[in-house]
Amino acid sequence: MRETEQLQDLEEIVALAEMLRPTLHRLYRQLRRETDDPGVSPLQALLLLAVMRQPGIGVAELARLEKLRGPTISGHVKAMEREGLIARAAPDPQDRRRNGLVATDKGRGIIHAMKQKRTDWLAFELAKLSPDARAAIRAAIGPLGKIGQ
């Protein structure tokens, strides 16, 4: 009997995943569409956010963090430096060869504006829902936040 219950649980979980995945994908795409900035690619925005979260991060660490090749990251970092989004920090006192990356005011401003546009769009869409629907979404935030940690 226990094996039958486990099989039913697994089937229910797979069905839930199948229902949730396309919804999350559409929501993610729409959020990205709301903040498309011709001056900053989605990868550059991701890298800029990582630099903001870890000021002083090195290019190699950034590549490992984002699971990308060093040469790929280096090219983007150079472009972002030329665009004034990031800058090299003062050399590390323990290793003078290493210069970490920091976000510039311009870079931080772009990320702030992107987040604000996404929040505004999402708030507008949430306002269209009933109070019960918003309560259901509020209740789902905790469990959804645990996925992928």
Side-chain angles (χ1 to χ4, degrees), residues 54-72:
Q54 295 183 14
I57 190 171
V59 175
E61 293 171 81
L62 187 58
R64 275 193 302 279
L65 178 70
E66 297 303 330
K67 296 178 177 61
L68 294 168
R69 294 174 346 122
T72 301

Side-chain angles (χ1 to χ4, degrees), residues 81-109:
E81 281 182 290
R82 280 192 305 272
E83 294 165 20
L85 303 175
I86 60 174
R88 303 275 175 170
D92 183 333
Q94 268 69 36
D95 182 355
R96 310 267 305 137
R97 297 168 298 168
R98 183 183 178 281
N99 289 40
L101 304 171
V102 293
T104 63
D105 288 342
K106 178 181 178 181
R108 285 189 297 277

Side-chain angles (χ1 to χ4, degrees), residues 8-144:
Q8 288 174 336
D9 283 349
L10 180 58
E11 289 172 357
E12 179 187 333
I13 290 167
V14 170
L16 179 60
E18 283 294 324
M19 291 184 331
L20 184 59
R21 185 187 45 75
T23 300
L24 291 176
H25 182 70
R26 277 192 307 274
L27 181 58
Y28 172 72
R29 288 184 65 199
Q30 187 60 42
L31 280 169
R32 278 193 45 201
R33 205 174 291 130
E34 288 300 314
T35 57
D36 278 347
D37 184 331
V40 180
S41 73
L43 178 58
Q44 286 178 330
L46 182 71
L47 296 175
L48 184 53
L49 193 55
V51 169
M52 287 173 62
R53 286 186 183 138
Q54 295 183 14
I57 190 171
V59 175
E61 293 171 81
L62 187 58
R64 275 193 302 279
L65 178 70
E66 297 303 330
K67 296 178 177 61
L68 294 168
R69 294 174 346 122
T72 301
I73 294 291
S74 290
H76 285 285
V77 164
K78 287 176 185 170
M80 292 169 69
E81 281 182 290
R82 280 192 305 272
E83 294 165 20
L85 303 175
I86 60 174
R88 303 275 175 170
D92 183 333
Q94 268 69 36
D95 182 355
R96 310 267 305 137
R97 297 168 298 168
R98 183 183 178 281
N99 289 40
L101 304 171
V102 293
T104 63
D105 288 342
K106 178 181 178 181
R108 285 189 297 277
I110 286 173
I111 292 299
H112 176 73
M114 289 175 73
K115 285 181 176 182
Q116 190 62 55
K117 285 180 188 176
R118 288 178 180 180
T119 298
D120 291 348
W121 176 82
L122 196 51
F124 181 78
E125 295 300 316
L126 288 168
K128 296 176 185 177
L129 301 176
S130 70
D132 287 344
R134 289 194 302 269
I137 290 170
R138 189 175 296 109
I141 290 172
L144 285 172

